[in-house]
């Protein structure tokens, strides 16, 4: 079935088709319609889950962790401030190895208040042990939500589906909605293994762990994040086989034959495809690389894709005050391992903060600056700021 | 080697290898918690031995009939009590240290009125005993004893010289404090239980003590204090000079004593206030003359406040010297007093100053106390200074004679009389059953060390069950009052002044159900487990469990590690740590 | 690609209009993308919504700055908002108004303008209240006719898919507007 739906409705379809068993969420713009849509689907009998009303996002995540410990497939959604409030529980979900799936609608941080899009909320959760999957269109949102459950449950690590506020959450476009039976074939019921609360066999979970064992538990998260790179690829391949749509952690678009490459994520990737086509038509040599996963960071694939390029322009719709845009940090860190001859110059651009549009023109401006500057004039260049 | 090729020996998620129950943390402790159920100060204070915290709990839960039954265990007159008891329990209330005491009497009045409005009754005894008891005196002491003995199955007959039962409750207390229909309704319940009333008969005169004794297996004597004290001054025989009891009797019979239009009441007790307020209702200007100051007045402060509201004037440090007038009082001379040393009652003694002045009046009521007349009692009943000698259960020196009320050594209040009647009923029952009931044998059924005996506890029919209520009384500092909010007590409505002075309509309005419940819910329920669950919630070892015997909670000593958090968090002080031997 | 900008007020249904049109166009096997101007919408406040139509998947995800056409749900906005801003030279403006297109010549000089009494049509079909009619489905009938981006049949199918309440009345309003809308007149 194909339907014209918003990104938020696509998330709800993803969760509904994945037969979520527990939903606990707290409303916040622009996430709210995800949960509204899920509630409608539940009322229409399309899915049967327990909805837990909570007083905060912190509690929403705590409830999801509890539900997973009880052996259920749990889902929540939030954005911006809500994700910040959830932060403590995000660490816990990973440490407890509960494969919760969370849809985060990228919303800029207050103060000042903003409901519009940037990735600062999700990139701020890099160190929590969550898999992060960024999307550029509503189809990808729906598909990624389904895949997120499979990835998370195979690894027993929580996964975050990330979509831009409004540019996806409130934009309607045609989406192919798979049959539930086919999704069930793709995504088996959750298997909690031994990691669940069994009233007949009471155990203490996550209790205080001394310094002779804590590090081992944490090391396993690191190991499994490394494993995740392979498993995400496997799930992408399984999905392509089942549904005919292909996703990659690192995707090239007309980038193989160019010396200058844009590295982007989220909806900017979508607009950048048009920008690349437009520039190519004008005879400019430019390609694009879209990064889908921030965690685990696909270091090897990034190195393989970008080695030998002359210039790499990373566009970050986020920033880390005192450092640079987060994707630029990650790409720099990965490419440093290359021998100098193969190591491109990294141009870091921060753009589109707080929902400011990143148009084809903005991308052209970035391309032109990267092309013309022999080397970056700063570690981090903010695009579109109205200086006086 | 790569990450993915390495292994560690811990599982994926930190998880205990055994159930937590394997770790018997109970072995760590050197002190253990006990659920104790201490006595609340109000329960100890109640002269009738009522379970106040018990019925506060029940009213708070909306269980009004149970609350009524709980009072009726100890006291047959909750509706009267809620009106006329001077509620010294409220002075002892731990909540005084928090904000304001519970308005216990208001809740009690609600329960009493509830019982009347629902027509609640006490069933006649199921098993009639073949023993007969005579009660001499139909005042609160006699009625209380009669009620309890009747419930136990005895044939009970009350003898009284008045036309109607009630004693001071009928002939001493004006109906603006205790409406006669309330009094009648509560006494009627006794008749319905089979208590016999022989009215208009004076023992020792119309019927001999010997014949009473020969016809009954036991006798309870509670003839009250009806002797009028008179001022030792000149002119008390003039017209317009009344004794308080005579004056109040007239009032309560519905008559209008000719006490004048400008009345002076001599005295500072509750009778003086009653006389003054009654006179106001007859249209007189009223002044109370009292030897000491307001601070030393024995009258209940609320009564004094009401008298002031109603326009009663006060002349303190004033002692009458002589009544002026020909055949009828035309005024009196009085002497200004000052306060000297403390006397045996702890109050400062009035000392004459020599300054004499005149008070104009055409009526005077002497309310300076009442005495007993015990000389005509059977000679074996010993007495001293007008007080019949008894032990604390009411045994007199004469076999099968028991005594209570105002003739024994207790304060002259309705509630004390009721309490003495209950104690004597217990003693009479023991006596008739041939059991010992000497001093102290019932102490474990007292509320605290000083309180009255509880029949509910003796019979084990507590509607608010306690495990092992000890003699220890709990103080404010022994509780964790963090859990109680601050809320002022109920201030019952009073009818408007104009309406009050029109007649003898009841002044204080009854509380609504909502008000009574809210007031009862203010009660800390000091010392008793209400199953609030704090111990259960706070126990870090989940060692607190529901008591299979139904007394709230118990601690599972296999897992209780003796940390004492439960005891600390108990709001009511109903738990205690004890160091183990 | 065709880009259309909708102007209305909170409560008139401009955002839903762009969504219905996206669904209707998709029924013709073309690609569409609709979205509101991302703001804090309030009833009565000026509202903008966007629609893109193309024969291939639409990848651009930015607001529309140079629309091909305008749809104006509230004629009073003509005097309050610079509606023609960025409008392409041969752009068509469809206005909810009982007036003749020529009466808007001072605001839309050089553009093509068509008018349709969508408010009156909505009231007639009991859509919203007489004081505050919901004009979105009526004006879409005019859009179908004048811009030709979708057939009337598919528009009605789109209304059925996206408007669960008073579906028939909405469809009838669209149909009536389709027939009543004026020709686009070059001003």
């Amino acid at each position: 079935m194909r339907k014209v739906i918003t990104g938020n409705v696509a998330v709800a379809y993803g969760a509904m088709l994945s037969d979520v068993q527990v939903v606990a969420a707290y409303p916040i713009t622009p996430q709210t319609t995800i949960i509204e849509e899920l509630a409608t689907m539940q009322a229409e009998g399309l899915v049967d889950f327990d909805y837990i009303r909570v007083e905060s996002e912190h509690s929403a995540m705590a409830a999801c962790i509890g539900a997973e410990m009880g052996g259920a497939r749990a889902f929540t959604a939030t954005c911006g401030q809500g994700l910040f409030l959830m932060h403590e529980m995000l660490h816990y979900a990973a440490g407890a190895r509960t494969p919760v799936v969370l849809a985060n609608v990228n919303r800029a941080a207050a103060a000042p208040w903003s409901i519009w899009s940037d990735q600062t909320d999700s990139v701020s959760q890099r160190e929590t042990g969550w898999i992060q999957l960024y999307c550029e269109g509503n189809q990808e949102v729906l598909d990624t939500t389904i895949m997120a459950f499979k990835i998370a449950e195979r690894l027993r690590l929580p996964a975050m589906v990330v979509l831009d506020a409004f540019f996806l959450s409130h934009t309607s476009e045609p989406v192919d909605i798979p049959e539930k039976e086919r999704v069930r074939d793709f995504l088996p019921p959750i298997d909690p293994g031994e990691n669940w609360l069994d009233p007949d066999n009471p155990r203490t979970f996550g209790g205080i762990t001394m310094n002779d064992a804590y590090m081992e538990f944490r090391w396993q998260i690191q190991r499994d994040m490394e494993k995740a790179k392979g498993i995400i690829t496997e799930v992408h391949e399984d999905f392509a086989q089942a549904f005919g749509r292909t996703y990659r952690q690192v995707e090239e678009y007309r980038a193989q034959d160019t010396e200058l490459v844009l590295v982007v994520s989220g909806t900017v990737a979508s607009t950048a495809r048009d920008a690349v086509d437009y520039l190519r038509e004008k005879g400019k040599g430019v390609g694009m690389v879209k990064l889908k996963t921030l965690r685990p960071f696909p270091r090897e694939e990034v190195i393989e894709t970008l080695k030998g390029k002359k210039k790499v322009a990373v566009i970050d719709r986020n920033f880390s005050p005192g450092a640079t845009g987060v994707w630029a940090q990650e790409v720099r860190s990965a490419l440093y391992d290359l021998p100098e001859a193969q190591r491109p110059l990294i141009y870091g651009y921060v753009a589109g903060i707080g929902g400011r549009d990143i148009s084809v023109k903005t991308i052209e401006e970035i391309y032109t600056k990267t092309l013309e500057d022999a080397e970056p004039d700063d570690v981090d260049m903010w695009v579109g700021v109205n200086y006086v | 080697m790569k990450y993915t090729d390495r292994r560690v020996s811990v599982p994926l998620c930190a998880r205990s290898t055994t159930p937590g129950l394997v770790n018997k943390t109970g072995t760590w402790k050197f002190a253990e918690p006990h659920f104790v159920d201490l006595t609340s100060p109000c329960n100890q204070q109640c002269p009738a031995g009522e379970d106040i915290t018990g019925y506060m709990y029940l009213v708070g839960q909306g269980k009004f009939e149970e609350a009524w039954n709980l009072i009726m265990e100890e006291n047959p007159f909750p509706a009267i009590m809620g009106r006329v008891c001077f509620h010294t329990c409220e002075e002892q209330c731990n909540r005084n240290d928090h904000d304001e005491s519970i308005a216990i009497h208001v809740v009690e009045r609600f329960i009493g009125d509830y019982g009347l409005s629902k027509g609640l009754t006490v069933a006649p005894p199921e098993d009639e005993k073949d023993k007969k008891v005579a009660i001499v005196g139909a005042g609160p002491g006699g009625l209380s004893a009669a009620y309890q003995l009747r419930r136990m199955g005895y044939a009970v007959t009350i003898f009284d010289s008045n036309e109607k039962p009630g004693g001071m409750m009928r002939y001493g207390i004006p109906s603006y404090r205790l409406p006669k229909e309330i009094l009648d309704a509560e006494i009627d319940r006794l008749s319905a239980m089979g208590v016999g009333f022989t009215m208009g008969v004076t023992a020792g005169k119309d019927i001999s003590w010997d014949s009473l004794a020969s016809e009954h297996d036991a006798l309870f004597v509670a003839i009250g204090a009806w002797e009028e004290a008179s001022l030792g001054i000149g002119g008390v025989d003039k017209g317009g000079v009344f004794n308080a009891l005579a004056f109040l009797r007239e009032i309560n019979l519905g008559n209008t004593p000719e006490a004048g239009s400008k009345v002076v009441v001599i005295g500072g007790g509750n009778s003086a206030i009653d006389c003054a307020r009654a006179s106001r209702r007859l249209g007189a200007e009223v002044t109370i003359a009292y030897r000491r100051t307001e601070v030393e007045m024995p009258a209940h402060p609320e009564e004094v406040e009401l008298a002031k509201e109603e326009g009663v004037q006060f002349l303190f440090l004033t002692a009458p010297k002589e009544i002026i007038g020909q055949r009828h009082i035309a005024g009196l001379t009085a002497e200004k007093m000052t306060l000297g040393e403390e006397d045996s009652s702890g109050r400062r003694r009035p000392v004459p100053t020599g300054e004499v002045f005149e008070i104009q009046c055409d009526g005077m009521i002497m309310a300076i106390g009442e005495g007993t007349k015990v000389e005509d009692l059977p000679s074996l009943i010993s007495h001293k200074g007008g007080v019949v000698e008894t032990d604390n259960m009411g045994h007199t020196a004469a076999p099968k004679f028991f005594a209570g009320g105002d003739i024994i050594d207790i304060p002259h209040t309705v509630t004390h009389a009721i309490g003495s009647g209950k104690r004597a009923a217990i003693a009479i029952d023991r006596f008739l059953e041939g059991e010992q009931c000497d001093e102290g044998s019932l102490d474990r059924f007292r509320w605290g060390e000083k309180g009255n005996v509880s029949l509910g506890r003796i019979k084990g029919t507590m509607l608010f069950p306690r495990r092992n209520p000890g003699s220890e009384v709990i103080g404010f500092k022994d509780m964790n009052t963090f859990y109680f909010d601050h809320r002022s007590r109920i201030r019952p409505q009073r009818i408007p002044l104009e309406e009050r002075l029109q007649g003898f309509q009841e002044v204080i309005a009854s509380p609504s159900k909502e008000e009574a419940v809210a007031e009862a819910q203010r009660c800390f329920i000091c010392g008793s487990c209400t199953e609030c669950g704090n111990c259960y919630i706070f126990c870090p070892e989940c060692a607190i469990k529901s008591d299979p015997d139904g007394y709230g909670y118990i601690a599972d000593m296999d897992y209780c590690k003796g940390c004492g958090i439960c005891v600390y968090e108990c709001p009511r002080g109903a738990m205690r740590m004890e160091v183990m031997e | 690609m065709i880009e259309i900008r909708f102007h209305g007020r909170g409560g008139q249904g401009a955002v839903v209009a762009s969504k219905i049109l996206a669904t209707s166009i998709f029924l013709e096997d073309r690609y569409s993308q609709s979205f509101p101007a991302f703001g804090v919408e309030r009833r009565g406040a000026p509202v903008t919504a966007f629609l893109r139509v193309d024969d291939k998947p639409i990848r651009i995800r930015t607001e529309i700055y140079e629309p091909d056409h305008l749809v104006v749900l509230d004629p009073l906005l003509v005097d309050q908002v610079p509606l023609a801003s960025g409008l392409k030279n041969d752009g068509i403006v469809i206005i909810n108004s009982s007036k003749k297109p020529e009466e808007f010549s001072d605001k839309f000089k050089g553009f093509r303008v068509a008018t349709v009494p969508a408010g009156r049509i909505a009231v007639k079909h009991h859509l919203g209240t007489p004081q505050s009619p919901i004009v979105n489905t009526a004006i879409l009938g005019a859009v179908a006719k004048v811009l030709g981006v979708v057939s009337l049949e598919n528009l009605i199918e789109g209304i059925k898919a996206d408007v669960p309440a008073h579906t028939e009345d909405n469809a009838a309003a669209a149909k009536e507007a389709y027939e009543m809308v004026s020709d686009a007149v070059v001003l």
Side-chain angles (χ1 to χ4, degrees):
Chain A
M1 179 178 59
R2 300 195 79 194
K3 262 181 105 168
V4 177
I5 57 173
T6 64
N8 278 354
V9 173
V11 172
Y13 267 107
M16 179 273 279
L17 293 170
S18 303
D19 282 326
V20 286
Q21 291 163 297
V22 173
V23 175
Y26 192 84
I28 178 170
T29 300
Q31 157 264 31
T32 309
T33 51
I34 296 176
I35 305 301
E36 286 176 356
E37 186 66 26
L38 264 173
T40 305
M41 290 170 170
Q42 185 198 39
E44 288 171 354
L46 296 173
V47 59
D48 181 20
F49 57 79
D50 286 323
Y51 182 72
I52 303 174
R53 290 199 293 177
V54 286
E55 78 286 5
S56 74
E57 287 83 358
H58 187 278
S59 301
M61 183 49 64
C64 287
I65 293 167
E68 293 276 356
M69 303 276 308
R73 179 173 287 162
F75 172 80
T76 186
T78 188
C79 67
Q81 308 301 120
L83 190 66
F84 297 134
L85 183 53
M86 218 180 244
H87 176 82
E88 181 199 357
M89 286 291 109
L90 295 180
H91 280 284
Y92 199 101
R97 304 305 295 260
T98 48
V100 182
V101 169
L102 154 70
N104 182 63
V105 183
N106 276 138
R107 167 176 161 175
W113 285 114
S114 168
I115 56 171
W116 295 277
S117 189
D118 75 46
Q119 298 171 338
T120 307
D121 56 355
S122 56
V123 298
S124 298
Q125 316 306 325
R126 266 193 303 183
E127 276 72 70
T128 56
W130 280 63
I131 292 159
Q132 290 195 16
L133 306 162
Y134 288 75
C135 302
E136 66 166 300
N138 293 351
Q139 186 71 58
E140 185 174 14
V141 167
L142 189 153
D143 295 345
T144 303
T145 305
I146 295 168
M147 288 189 285
F149 284 104
K150 187 157 181 164
I151 294 163
E153 287 166 16
R154 278 188 65 181
L155 288 157
R156 294 210 65 81
L157 280 173
M160 194 184 295
V161 179
V162 187
L163 59 150
D164 295 39
F166 297 105
F167 295 111
L168 291 183
S169 69
H170 285 60
T171 296
S172 300
E173 61 184 5
V175 173
D176 189 283
I177 297 163
E179 308 264 312
K180 196 162 196 171
E181 280 313 311
R182 290 178 58 206
V183 176
R184 281 181 178 154
D185 290 343
F186 170 76
L187 177 66
I190 188 167
D191 173 15
E194 62 177 17
N195 189 27
W196 68 294
L197 304 168
D198 178 0
D200 295 329
N201 186 18
R203 290 287 188 273
T204 304
F205 289 83
I208 188 152
T209 301
M210 301 297 177
N211 58 9
D212 61 351
Y214 181 85
M215 204 162 166
E216 279 72 14
F217 287 113
R218 288 287 148 176
W219 177 84
Q220 289 185 105
I221 297 176
Q222 171 69 0
R223 176 198 63 197
D224 292 344
M225 271 292 186
E226 283 298 318
K227 266 194 202 166
K229 296 173 186 172
I231 285 175
I232 293 169
T233 301
E234 277 177 42
V235 172
H236 281 160
E237 283 164 3
D238 291 350
F239 191 88
Q241 200 139 43
F243 301 101
R245 288 186 291 274
T246 308
Y247 298 99
R248 293 198 175 81
Q249 294 171 74
V250 178
E251 182 192 335
E252 292 172 280
Y253 182 73
R254 304 181 79 168
Q256 276 163 352
D257 56 346
T258 59
E259 291 184 336
L260 193 157
V261 170
L262 306 168
V263 174
V264 292
S265 63
T267 51
V268 183
S270 185
T271 305
R273 292 177 202 270
D274 267 18
V276 166
D277 288 355
Y278 166 76
L279 291 167
R280 283 284 180 118
E281 268 173 42
K282 285 171 52 171
K284 315 278 188 188
V286 60
M288 180 205 86
V289 170
K290 167 193 165 188
L291 299 181
K292 183 169 172 62
T293 45
L294 176 65
R295 282 293 178 272
F297 188 74
R299 191 171 160 278
E300 296 79 5
E301 268 193 80
V302 167
I303 293 170
E304 195 53 39
T305 309
L306 298 179
K307 77 172 175 205
K309 303 290 182 199
K310 287 276 179 291
K311 291 178 175 179
V312 170
V314 184
I315 305 177
D316 270 293
R317 187 172 234 155
N318 68 74
F319 62 104
S320 174
T324 70
V326 166
W327 295 101
Q329 290 177 33
E330 298 287 345
V331 170
R332 274 201 187 90
S333 161
L335 298 189
Y336 189 80
D337 290 347
L338 284 169
E340 209 173 333
Q342 290 188 311
R343 198 192 296 155
L345 283 170
I346 311 290
Y347 292 68
Y349 296 94
V350 171
I353 298 300
R356 191 165 294 190
D357 229 347
I358 299 180
S359 61
V360 171
K361 257 191 192 135
T362 317
I363 295 168
E364 183 178 16
E365 194 184 313
I366 288 168
Y367 160 77
T368 308
K369 183 169 172 59
T370 309
L371 183 73
E372 287 174 357
D373 291 358
E375 54 186 53
D377 51 23
D378 211 332
V379 287
D380 202 22
M381 290 161 285
W382 285 51
V383 180
V385 177
N386 297 314
Y387 300 106
V388 289
Chain B
M1 203 190 280
K2 286 185 165 182
Y3 278 118
T4 43
D5 297 334
R6 291 186 188 272
R7 293 283 174 274
V8 286
S9 62
V10 299
L12 205 55
C13 171
R15 171 176 176 275
S16 66
T17 50
T18 56
L21 296 177
V22 167
N23 188 357
K24 298 220 167 171
T25 43
T27 57
W28 302 357
K29 66 176 167 289
F30 60 89
E32 57 188 21
H34 290 275
F35 291 86
V36 285
D37 281 332
L38 304 181
T39 293
S40 60
C42 54
N43 280 20
Q44 169 169 265
Q45 181 67 22
C46 180
E50 292 180 6
D51 184 359
I52 296 168
T53 43
Y55 66 72
M56 287 295 157
Y57 176 77
L58 293 169
V59 172
Q61 303 281 313
K63 296 177 176 170
F64 306 135
E65 188 166 339
E66 285 95 327
W68 188 82
N69 286 328
L70 189 61
I71 297 181
M72 291 297 285
E73 230 12 286
E74 316 292 346
N75 183 334
F77 303 134
I80 297 171
M81 270 305 101
R83 288 172 167 80
V84 305
C85 179
F86 287 116
H87 43 79
T88 53
C89 50
E90 295 178 17
E91 292 160 27
Q92 302 299 318
C93 179
N94 278 329
R95 190 136 188 154
N96 279 315
D97 292 331
H98 192 65
D99 41 32
E100 294 182 293
S101 65
I102 306 297
I104 296 170
H105 70 289
V106 176
V107 178
E108 185 176 29
R109 175 170 168 172
F110 168 78
I111 297 168
D113 289 354
Y114 178 85
L116 290 176
S117 71
K118 297 282 169 189
L120 301 181
T121 54
V122 177
E126 283 177 18
D127 298 317
E128 294 285 352
K129 292 180 176 164
D130 59 356
K131 301 261 170 58
K132 297 200 288 183
V133 182
I135 308 285
V136 183
L143 293 169
S144 166
Y147 165 75
Q148 299 293 6
L149 287 163
R150 184 67 197 128
R151 286 171 76 207
M152 296 170 189
Y154 295 103
V156 179
T157 310
I158 300 178
F159 299 87
D160 191 288
S161 54
N162 286 303
E163 191 193 339
K164 288 182 173 179
M168 282 291 181
M169 296 192 293
R170 181 178 304 278
Y171 297 106
I173 298 174
S175 47
Y176 61 81
R177 278 175 58 202
L178 174 59
K180 295 290 178 275
E181 56 272 21
I182 299 284
L183 179 68
D184 290 338
E186 295 226 294
I187 294 174
D188 283 350
R189 279 200 301 257
L190 271 63
S191 314
M193 289 167 67
V195 172
F197 287 88
T198 307
M199 301 307 296
V201 169
T202 307
K205 199 167 120 193
D206 300 325
I207 182 166
S208 74
W209 287 107
D210 283 347
S211 67
L212 277 174
S214 64
E215 286 165 21
H216 295 89
D217 299 287
L219 296 94
F220 178 64
V221 183
I223 55 173
W226 294 88
E227 296 305 306
E228 320 243 12
S230 180
L231 284 165
I233 61 171
V236 293
D237 53 346
K238 291 189 200 304
V241 178
F242 285 80
N243 270 308
L245 288 178
F247 179 78
L248 291 171
R249 174 182 283 269
E250 288 300 307
I251 295 283
N252 282 309
L253 287 170
N255 301 328
T256 315
E258 296 287 334
S261 60
K262 204 160 188 298
V263 175
V264 174
V265 178
I266 309 293
N270 289 311
S271 290
I273 303 286
D274 285 342
C275 292
R277 294 179 66 195
S279 294
R280 286 292 293 140
R281 284 163 171 76
L282 297 178
E285 275 180 46
V286 182
T287 303
I288 288 179
Y290 179 51
R291 295 184 298 163
R292 307 190 227 213
T293 70
E294 185 168 355
V295 178
E296 290 82 20
M297 275 180 84
H300 196 269
E302 193 186 351
E303 292 290 309
V304 176
E305 184 194 328
L306 286 161
K308 285 181 176 170
E309 271 184 18
E310 291 163 10
V312 173
Q313 303 293 311
F314 287 81
L315 266 177
F316 293 111
L317 294 166
T318 299
K321 273 191 87 74
E322 189 167 11
I323 295 167
I324 308 168
Q326 298 296 319
R327 287 176 49 221
H328 196 276
I329 180 170
L332 72 151
T333 56
E335 184 171 359
K336 197 82 196 157
M337 310 298 273
T338 185
L339 290 180
E341 298 293 303
E342 282 184 8
D343 65 9
S344 58
S345 71
R347 296 179 299 168
R348 292 178 68 187
R349 190 190 303 276
V351 179
T353 60
E355 182 193 336
V356 175
F357 61 102
E358 223 172 88
I359 306 169
Q360 282 203 331
C361 63
D362 57 1
M364 187 178 109
I365 303 167
M366 294 179 288
I368 55 169
E370 59 285 328
T372 57
K373 191 166 181 246
V374 294
E375 295 75 24
D376 298 339
L377 293 176
S379 55
L380 280 176
I381 299 178
S382 66
H383 52 82
K384 204 158 119 189
V387 176
V388 171
E389 292 181 305
T390 63
D391 69 357
N392 67 20
M393 294 306 290
H395 296 89
T396 70
K400 80 182 196 180
F401 275 91
F402 297 78
D406 288 355
I407 59 167
I408 68 167
D409 187 17
I410 54 171
H412 291 188
T413 74
V414 173
T415 322
H416 282 88
I418 286 172
S420 72
K422 178 177 72 174
R423 279 197 303 278
I426 297 165
I428 290 167
D429 177 48
R430 298 279 162 123
F431 165 71
L432 295 177
E433 295 286 340
E435 289 171 20
Q436 283 292 100
C437 180
D438 44 2
E439 194 115 4
S441 69
L442 292 168
D443 279 357
R444 66 203 162 93
F445 300 114
R446 290 186 185 283
W447 294 116
E449 278 181 11
K450 297 182 285 182
N452 205 341
V453 174
S454 162
L455 252 177
R457 285 173 58 184
I458 292 174
K459 290 155 69 182
T461 54
M462 312 265 295
L463 288 159
F464 177 56
R466 293 175 178 82
R467 193 183 315 253
N468 50 351
S471 62
E472 198 176 324
V473 176
I474 183 156
F476 180 75
K477 290 203 169 68
D478 300 326
M479 301 193 293
N480 188 342
T481 49
F482 171 83
Y483 291 101
F484 302 106
D485 60 358
H486 291 266
R487 203 140 50 87
S488 25
R489 70 187 242 143
I490 182 177
R491 304 253 183 297
Q493 295 279 314
R494 299 168 180 177
I495 62 169
L497 210 53
E498 316 79 76
E499 284 177 41
R500 283 193 226 171
L501 297 181
Q502 296 300 313
F504 285 80
Q505 193 188 336
E506 188 170 22
V507 171
I508 312 276
S510 291
S512 69
K513 183 173 84 180
E514 290 70 25
E515 287 171 330
V517 169
E519 187 64 16
Q521 287 173 343
R522 286 180 68 232
C523 179
F524 292 161
I525 324 282
C526 304
S528 292
C529 174
T530 62
E531 300 183 43
C532 73
N534 263 16
C535 52
Y536 174 81
I537 290 162
F538 279 95
C539 179
E541 300 299 336
C542 303
I544 303 290
K545 298 188 161 74
S546 203
D547 181 3
D549 296 332
Y551 288 106
Y553 296 98
I554 53 165
D556 183 339
M557 290 304 165
D558 277 351
Y559 297 102
C560 169
K561 62 186 178 188
C563 67
I565 289 174
C566 52
V567 174
Y568 180 79
E569 298 297 345
C570 176
R572 302 179 169 76
M575 296 186 77
R576 154 164 305 165
M577 288 307 283
E578 275 167 28
V579 174
M580 296 157 72
E581 293 297 322
Chain C
M1 180 160 28
I2 301 169
E3 295 182 319
I4 302 172
R5 196 164 68 200
F6 290 75
H7 293 277
R9 288 188 190 278
Q12 283 187 313
V15 176
V16 176
S18 73
K19 170 76 196 329
I20 294 169
L21 199 51
T23 300
S24 309
I25 288 163
F26 175 67
L27 293 172
E28 304 198 338
D29 287 334
R30 298 176 80 197
Y31 291 91
S32 57
Q33 181 197 64
S34 89
F35 52 101
F38 312 134
V40 187
E41 292 87 358
R42 285 184 300 173
R43 182 162 288 270
V47 163
T48 312
F50 306 99
L51 179 81
R52 288 192 173 98
V53 188
D54 206 345
D55 294 324
K56 59 182 194 304
I58 298 162
R59 301 182 300 197
I60 188 163
R61 295 186 184 280
T62 68
E63 296 199 5
I64 292 171
Y65 301 98
E66 294 177 357
D68 294 284
H69 308 296
L70 293 184
V71 179
V72 183
L73 279 72
D74 179 1
L76 294 179
L77 288 170
V78 169
D79 296 322
Q80 296 168 5
V81 177
L83 296 181
S85 163
L87 181 60
K88 285 182 184 153
N89 281 340
D90 54 350
I92 298 177
V93 184
I94 299 171
I95 305 174
N96 163 26
S97 173
S98 309
K99 295 179 184 171
K100 289 191 161 61
E102 291 78 0
E103 295 182 56
F104 292 94
S105 58
D106 55 333
K107 295 288 177 187
F108 297 106
K109 197 82 197 152
F111 297 108
R112 288 180 286 168
V113 173
T115 58
V116 61
R120 247 174 39 209
I121 295 169
V123 170
K124 184 179 162 191
H125 293 278
H126 312 292
L127 302 172
T129 63
Q131 297 76 33
S132 176
I134 299 171
V135 302
N136 54 4
T137 44
I139 206 148
L140 286 179
V143 169
K145 176 79 165 289
V146 176
L147 300 185
V149 287
V150 70
S151 70
L152 181 64
E153 291 69 33
N154 280 324
L155 175 63
I156 286 167
E157 286 306 305
I159 289 171
K160 284 177 182 166
D162 281 353
V163 187
H166 306 294
T167 311
E168 289 307 322
D169 294 332
N170 278 294
K175 207 167 175 180
E176 188 165 341
Y178 185 89
E179 281 150 13
M180 278 184 76
V181 66
S182 73
D183 290 333
V185 180
V186 184
L187 300 178

